Amino acid sequence: MDDQGMPQLTGQDVVKTVTVPLVIRPVAVTDFPQWAPLWEGYNTFYKRVLPPEITQTTWSRFFDVAEPVQALVAEHDGRLLGLVHYLFHRATAMIEPNCYLSDLFTNEAARGKGVGRALIEAVYEQARLAGSTRVYWQTHETNVVARRLYDQVAERSGFIVYRKQV
C-alpha cells in the first residue's frame, strides 16, 4: 500500500499486450495538465459540460485518503493516453467491497491499441488486492466501440439503470 492506502502497482502492470510500451500507474498530482484534456474528452463524449469546481473537486478526491475514489492513468513515453476512475463501496448482498469503474477514456490516437483493456485489467487487479470479488460499470447503449471491448472483458448483467434528478 502507498501513503494513500492504495495498493502499489508492480512490474506486472507494464502491459505487454498493447502495440506500444505502456505503463498503468496511479495518477500523480503533476499529471493534471495531461489528465484534464482526457477528462474533458470523456465529458465531451457524453455531451456534458461540467463547471470547473466539479473538475477540481474530482481531481482533489484522488489525493484525499478519506475519499473512496481512485484514478489510474495509462502512460507512454511520458504522455498520458488514457484514464480510469473507480471506487469501492459496500453492498447489501456481499461482505466484500464492490468496485465500481466510474469513468474510462482513452485519447483517440490510442484507441484500438489495448489501452482501454489495460486500464480495465488494472482496475481488476486493484479490486483483487482490495478483497473485492466484483468490478462493474455502465455505459451508454450507443457506445458501440467501447461495448465491443466490454463484451470481451466482462459479461452484461442485464440490469437496466433508472435515475432521477432530485
Side-chain angles (χ1 to χ4, degrees):
M1 296 267 182
D2 67 9
D3 60 348
Q4 296 177 7
M6 186 171 167
Q8 287 286 29
L9 299 174
T10 66
Q12 294 175 305
D13 302 306
V14 178
V15 179
K16 298 177 181 88
T17 60
V18 295
T19 59
V20 296
L22 188 68
V23 175
I24 306 297
R25 63 171 175 78
V27 71
V29 174
T30 55
D31 289 329
F32 185 81
Q34 291 191 66
W35 172 89
L38 292 169
W39 176 239
E40 181 66 27
Y42 177 79
N43 289 309
T44 298
F45 178 83
Y46 282 109
K47 297 175 177 59
R48 64 184 189 190
V49 177
L50 300 178
E53 57 268 17
I54 290 181
T55 294
Q56 288 301 321
T57 299
T58 297
W59 179 254
S60 68
R61 286 176 175 160
F62 301 142
F63 307 101
D64 182 343
V65 296
E67 288 286 344
V69 181
Q70 305 290 324
L72 300 173
V73 291
E75 179 182 40
H76 171 66
D77 284 342
R79 186 167 162 244
L80 298 189
L81 303 178
L83 59 77
V84 65
H85 306 147
Y86 61 99
L87 59 97
F88 295 103
H89 66 88
R90 297 187 190 282
T92 58
M94 347 177 45
I95 295 172
E96 57 278 338
N98 269 289
C99 181
Y100 177 65
L101 191 157
S102 181
D103 312 312
L104 175 68
F105 186 78
T106 62
N107 71 23
E108 194 167 337
R111 295 193 187 133
K113 294 181 170 58
V115 176
R117 179 185 298 267
L119 287 164
I120 291 169
E121 292 292 337
V123 172
Y124 289 167
E125 181 61 19
Q126 293 304 301
R128 280 190 285 275
L129 292 170
S132 182
T133 59
R134 178 170 55 195
V135 175
Y136 72 102
W137 63 91
Q138 57 187 340
T139 193
H140 197 272
E141 63 189 15
T142 61
N143 194 357
V144 178
V145 173
R147 289 177 56 200
R148 279 195 293 263
L149 168 62
Y150 301 162
D151 287 342
Q152 294 174 24
V153 300
E155 63 184 49
R156 277 184 71 181
S157 68
F159 280 86
I160 299 169
V161 175
Y162 290 87
R163 67 179 177 197
K164 175 158 176 61
Q165 296 294 116
V166 293

